[in-house]
Amino acid sequence: MVSAREDLQTHEVWNQPQVPGPRDPWAADAVLREAVAREGGQVVPLETYGAALGSEALAVAAREAERLAPELVLFDRGGRRLDEVRYATGYHDLMSAGIGAGYAALAWEGGAGGHVSHAAMVYMASQLEPGHCCPMTMTYAGVPALAGQGGALEVWREKLLSRVYDPSVAPLGDKAGATLGMAMTEKQGGSDVRANTTRAERDGGDWRLTGHKWFCSAPMSDGFLTLAQAPEGLSCFLVPRWLDGERNPIRIQRLKDKLGNRANASSEIEYQGALGHLVGEAGNGIRTILEMVHHTRLDTAMAPAGLMRAALAEAWHWAEGRRVFQKRLVDQPLMRAVLADLALDWEAATALGLRVARAFDAGGDAGERALARIGVALAKFHNNKRAPVVIYEAMEALGGMGYVTDTPLPMLYREAPLNGIWEGSGNVICLDILRTLARAPEAGEALRLELEAARGNSAVYDAALDAHGARWHGPPEEAEARLFAERLSVLLAASLLLRFAPGEVGATYAATRLGGEAGRISGAIPAGEVGVILSRLSGRA
């Protein structure tokens, strides 16, 4: 490679770190590799996918996908209705790499550690360009909702498990692979899907849906799981995007102009008598689609850990290459304190997400299934509340450059709130935690065992765990749901770090998150040796 010129006409460029090249998110991340090994994930597909994500070709594709917004094309030149979205070539390149690596299929192919491996792929792909992850996540999560349905829906399941990305406009039978979207939200209800007014009427062996959906992500998916009111009550349907010889009457009203997630087209749509296949029993739609939601929540818990990792990698690169007051920035005690504090949040989020993923893998273990149910809600809540803070502080570490789109920090910052809102915002998740503990005592017991496993590793942790149990003998009143969820999720993260991370990492996390030895601002921690923590951030551990 020929280097860029540093000796310009008016000045010489110095004290500017070299532009970082593409980064392999597997090879450069010791924390991820440790966690995947501990939780039983598959190394080879992650090595392969990490190398692809770290290539120059996908780095270029990611920049193109993020900067060239999807285009809504409603009509052809003759005025015929199309209702299509055109994406940048880079978006299709990213989708092809992810589907080919098994992002959507790996968890269902029967190998050990499939969900852990999938979660690690979410974590890695989110670092490069998060928008393309949405349709792959929904495809992954839709597979269990269609399990055991038989008939036409079994064909759908087979296409969703394909490792071939096929974006062609064609009916399912003509495609090598398919992707799945979701259309639940309506204007009047939001998270309260029981208020949905889209109606479903029988049409022979199938149904016709009529109504408006306020949010439909990835509208070029081959089908959508959606909720509509049937005579028996709210029911779940799979609505194909394309039919044999014609277009299913799904009308795109507009694309949402979003804060972030720009490579992914989110839309408003109308079903105008669209054909749909019933999934599950009529009147049992919420229970049916919650199987999909349960799995998408794993991804919304894992993606913020990846976003934090990407932001901190940029901050670390800058701090190593920038000199301030005659010393490298990374050697300045205050900057080291800030980076170490942020790294603790990232380590906790990564450990929490991948531990929950292992619970998803243990299908025959009732205790692990129960832990998956409560753990995914705690991980989603905790990780997404920390991500915007960590990413902002990483941005600030770069100074003015962090606010400029020549770096990925603005993209990461715009992305930071998304996973906390999607699939249940903070209050919804906290209420879900309370309901789970009230209705499923086995979930509380599984969580108790996981917390007790760390007892004896830290006096600070033990005291905090005792205090939590003394204050809340069961689920609290609703007004305290956020306080309860925060403390419980931090205890769970601390339990994992105390058991599995180096001693300095677990002890410092417990002291600063549970023992009151920190302020409420990142980096406001006691002076101490943070070398081990930072070595793990650097990837050299």
Side-chain angles (χ1 to χ4, degrees), residues 41 102 145 170 183 187 190 195 202 221 250 287 363 425 450 472 481 495:
K187 291 178 183 177
R202 292 184 186 275
S221 299
I250 303 170
R287 179 176 295 180
S425 56
E450 193 73 16
W472 291 296
S495 170

Side-chain angles (χ1 to χ4, degrees), residues 233-527:
L234 195 62
S235 304
C236 181
F237 300 88
L238 194 160
V239 182
R241 189 71 165 86
W242 326 107
L243 304 177
D244 290 329
E246 63 176 316
R247 292 167 185 259
N248 209 7
I250 303 170
R251 306 297 184 223
I252 301 177
Q253 302 301 301
R254 61 169 172 160
L255 300 186
K256 298 289 192 180
D257 188 4
K258 299 170 296 183
L259 171 67
N261 207 243
R262 292 181 175 178
N264 176 42
S266 298
S267 63
E268 293 175 40
I269 64 169
E270 284 188 353
Y271 295 133
Q272 298 181 357
L275 181 76
H277 308 302
L278 180 66
V279 183
E281 298 178 4
N284 202 26
I286 292 178
R287 179 176 295 180
T288 300
I289 209 164
L290 277 179
E291 187 67 28
M292 183 178 190
V293 171
H294 178 57
H295 287 83
T296 54
R297 282 183 177 175
L298 175 61
D299 289 24
T300 60
M302 205 65 230
L307 298 177
M308 286 187 250
R309 171 59 182 163
L312 287 173
E314 290 291 326
W316 181 261
H317 174 78
W318 181 266
E320 276 202 311
R322 183 80 163 175
R323 299 188 69 85
V324 179
F325 307 126
Q326 291 78 53
K327 288 199 301 186
R328 290 189 313 160
L329 192 54
V330 76
D331 296 325
Q332 304 282 353
L334 187 53
M335 179 56 73
R336 290 175 66 81
V338 171
L339 291 175
D341 202 17
L342 300 178
L344 289 173
D345 281 328
W346 154 64
E347 280 230 35
T350 304
L352 196 52
L354 288 171
R355 173 62 185 95
V356 170
R358 174 158 67 89
F360 276 68
D361 275 319
D365 186 318
E368 286 291 289
R369 288 201 308 272
L371 183 63
R373 181 175 174 184
I374 186 68
V376 75
L378 289 168
K380 179 182 179 340
F381 180 72
H382 174 273
N383 292 358
N384 283 295
K385 293 305 178 189
R386 298 312 305 157
V389 177
V390 170
I391 294 167
Y392 162 71
E393 291 287 357
M395 178 186 290
E396 187 175 296
L398 272 69
M401 281 303 300
Y403 201 67
V404 174
T405 57
D406 288 344
T407 77
L409 272 303
M411 180 273 285
L412 296 169
Y413 190 61
R414 290 194 302 270
E415 192 73 20
L418 172 68
N419 293 284
I421 296 170
W422 189 35
E423 301 298 22
S425 56
N427 285 356
V428 172
I429 295 300
C430 287
L431 294 175
D432 186 54
I433 290 168
L434 300 194
R435 281 193 299 270
T436 298
L437 293 175
R439 298 176 184 178
E442 65 275 15
E445 176 61 14
L447 184 58
R448 185 191 69 80
L449 292 174
E450 193 73 16
L451 295 173
E452 286 291 337
R455 191 179 285 279
N457 286 284
S458 162
V460 172
Y461 174 83
D462 293 352
L465 186 58
D466 290 340
H468 183 86
R471 175 163 185 169
W472 291 296
H473 301 288
E477 60 182 275
E478 181 179 315
E480 287 193 339
R482 281 200 173 210
L483 178 60
F484 177 79
E486 178 188 355
R487 299 228 175 138
L488 198 54
S489 61
V490 171
L491 281 166
L492 182 56
S495 170
L496 294 167
L497 294 183
L498 285 167
R499 284 182 285 158
F500 303 122
E504 295 90 336
V505 174
T508 306
Y509 187 85
T512 53
R513 273 60 175 175
L514 297 172
E517 292 190 25
R520 299 182 66 180
I521 297 171
S522 299
I525 59 176

